[in-house]
């Protein structure tokens, strides 16, 4: 692991690091905020998964997470959204290829050799973090935006017992029934829609739900609302009677202005779950 940068932030430390990934077969970069408490012992960890076109840097610099994470003594990791490099497959469209990993393990060419983002987020990066930083890996929560909201919800519902809580900003909620989903899941996983089910938050909510609290925030003026399909996820939450809060915010769009407005709420929500024991 290489240190790219480390900066003091809210009495803690904001770092950026890179490493050779065995899952994605390329160098991967991630950012990690450690609160001051990490100097004295392991702290809880919140994952923030970003959306289409983003790197580790977008949420790190725009979401305003560090101030609230420092207040609650929580670390926040910001992974990249895909493998990258000259030898990594890509596409001319912004919503496929580099910057658009969709948090799945690709089984189709040309994506299969590198696009193993599920394994990277679920297995490889947690092990690397546990080995190198003062983190309490028994107290984890997960959050994400758009494509990252899709990833956060699907990882939380599939990895039983891993996360104490899950939240999302404007998640791609029903990709099996959306142009933000069908295209990418077909490219990465193939045309058999049965293989898509574990990567669809609405289908997972209907099938099994999440053993913990859920928070979803959605802007009512989101320019991508028809692609996100929040109403499908809301209906599945209601039918399951899931322990969840679903909020629709008039006037807010899909941007980091929206995310930063409600980031304090999300970190406080996760802090309640992470410190419940």
């Amino acid at each position: 692991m290489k240190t790219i940068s480390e900066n003091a932030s809210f009495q803690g430390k904001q770092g950026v690091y890179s490493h050779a990934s065995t899952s994605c077969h390329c160098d991967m970069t991630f950012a990690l905020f450690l609160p001051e408490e990490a100097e004295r012992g392991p702290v809880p960890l919140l994952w923030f998964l970003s959306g289409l076109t983003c790197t580790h840097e977008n949420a790190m610099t725009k979401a305003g997470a560090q101030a609230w994470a420092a207040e609650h003594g929580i670390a926040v990791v910001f992974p990249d959204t895909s493998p990258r490099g000259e030898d990594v497959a890509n596409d001319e469209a912004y919503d496929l290829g580099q910057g658009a990993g969709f948090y799945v393990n690709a089984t189709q060419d040309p994506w299969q050799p590198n696009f193993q983002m599920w394994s990277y987020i679920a297995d490889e990066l947690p092990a690397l973090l546990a080995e190198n930083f003062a983190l309490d890996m028994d107290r984890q929560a997960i959050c994400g935006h758009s494509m990252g909201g899709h990833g956060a919800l699907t990882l939380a519902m599939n990895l039983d017992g891993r996360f104490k809580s899950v939240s999302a900003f404007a998640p791609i909620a029903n990709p099996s029934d959306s142009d933000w989903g069908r295209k990418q899941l077909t490219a990465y996983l193939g045309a058999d829609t049965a293989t898509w089910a574990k990567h669809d938050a609405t289908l997972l909510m209907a099938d099994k739900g999440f053993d913990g609290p859920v928070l979803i925030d959605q802007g009512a003026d989101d320019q991508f609302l028809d692609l996100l399909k929040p109403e499908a996820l809301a209906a599945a939450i209601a039918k399951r009677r899931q322990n969840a809060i679903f909020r629709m915010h008039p006037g807010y769009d899909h941007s980091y202005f929206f995310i930063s407005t409600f980031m304090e709420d999300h970190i406080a929500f996760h802090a309640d779950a992470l410190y419940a024991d």
Side-chain angles (χ1 to χ4, degrees):
M1 191 182 72
K2 298 178 181 179
T3 300
I4 296 175
S5 63
E6 289 182 334
N7 299 92
S9 177
F10 296 95
Q11 289 73 55
K13 180 173 64 178
Q14 177 63 65
V16 179
Y17 310 92
S18 68
H19 67 108
S21 169
T22 57
S23 300
C24 298
H25 302 288
C26 65
D27 287 344
M28 295 291 288
T29 302
F30 66 93
L32 177 68
F33 171 75
L34 288 171
E36 184 180 17
E37 288 85 348
E39 297 178 4
R40 300 187 289 274
V43 296
L45 176 63
L46 173 63
W47 293 76
F48 189 98
L49 305 186
S50 293
L52 287 167
T53 76
C54 291
T55 69
H56 68 281
E57 189 173 14
N58 297 73
M60 179 186 77
T61 58
K62 295 180 180 180
Q66 291 87 346
W68 310 117
E71 183 174 302
H72 292 282
I74 294 171
V76 186
V77 61
F78 308 92
D80 203 347
T81 57
S82 78
R84 299 182 190 271
E86 292 183 2
D87 297 328
V88 175
N90 202 8
D91 192 90
E92 292 182 357
Y94 75 94
D95 58 355
L96 187 67
Q98 296 186 36
F102 260 75
Y103 305 100
V104 303
N105 281 345
T107 59
Q108 308 298 303
D109 291 330
W111 314 107
Q112 189 276 332
N114 301 104
F115 281 73
Q116 303 295 309
M117 287 299 294
W118 183 275
S119 291
Y120 180 70
I121 298 296
D123 300 315
E124 183 179 0
L125 188 53
L128 184 74
L129 293 171
E131 182 179 351
N132 289 279
F133 301 99
L135 299 170
D136 183 351
M137 302 305 282
D138 290 329
R139 290 188 291 165
Q140 297 185 64
I142 192 165
C143 177
H145 170 232
S146 194
M147 178 185 73
H150 141 80
L153 290 164
T154 57
L155 282 155
M157 284 188 275
N158 278 293
L159 300 177
D160 294 339
R162 173 76 62 91
F163 301 106
K164 302 291 188 182
S165 51
V166 59
S167 72
F169 296 92
I172 300 175
N174 190 196
S176 298
D177 194 32
S178 168
D179 289 340
W180 268 3
R182 287 191 297 257
K183 171 184 176 179
Q184 294 83 1
L185 296 177
T186 300
Y188 294 142
L189 302 178
D192 181 2
T193 58
T195 65
W196 303 359
K198 69 176 286 187
H199 300 292
D200 188 307
T202 296
L203 298 182
L204 284 167
M205 182 60 68
D207 180 53
K208 61 185 300 183
F210 177 65
D211 187 19
V214 178
L215 172 62
I216 309 290
D217 276 323
Q218 174 65 60
D221 286 7
D222 193 314
Q223 59 271 45
F224 304 113
L225 202 57
D226 290 342
L227 293 166
L228 301 172
K229 295 191 174 293
E231 66 282 355
L233 179 58
I237 286 172
K239 186 173 183 179
R240 172 159 288 277
R241 300 179 181 176
Q242 169 72 41
N243 174 13
I245 301 168
F246 190 105
R247 306 191 297 188
M248 186 71 73
H249 299 279
Y252 286 92
D253 60 15
H254 201 69
S255 70
Y256 273 91
F257 296 109
F258 163 58
I259 296 170
S260 61
T261 298
F262 299 102
M263 180 57 72
E264 178 184 6
D265 292 355
H266 281 244
I267 292 184
F269 165 81
H270 291 296
D272 285 345
L274 289 167
Y275 288 111
D277 296 337

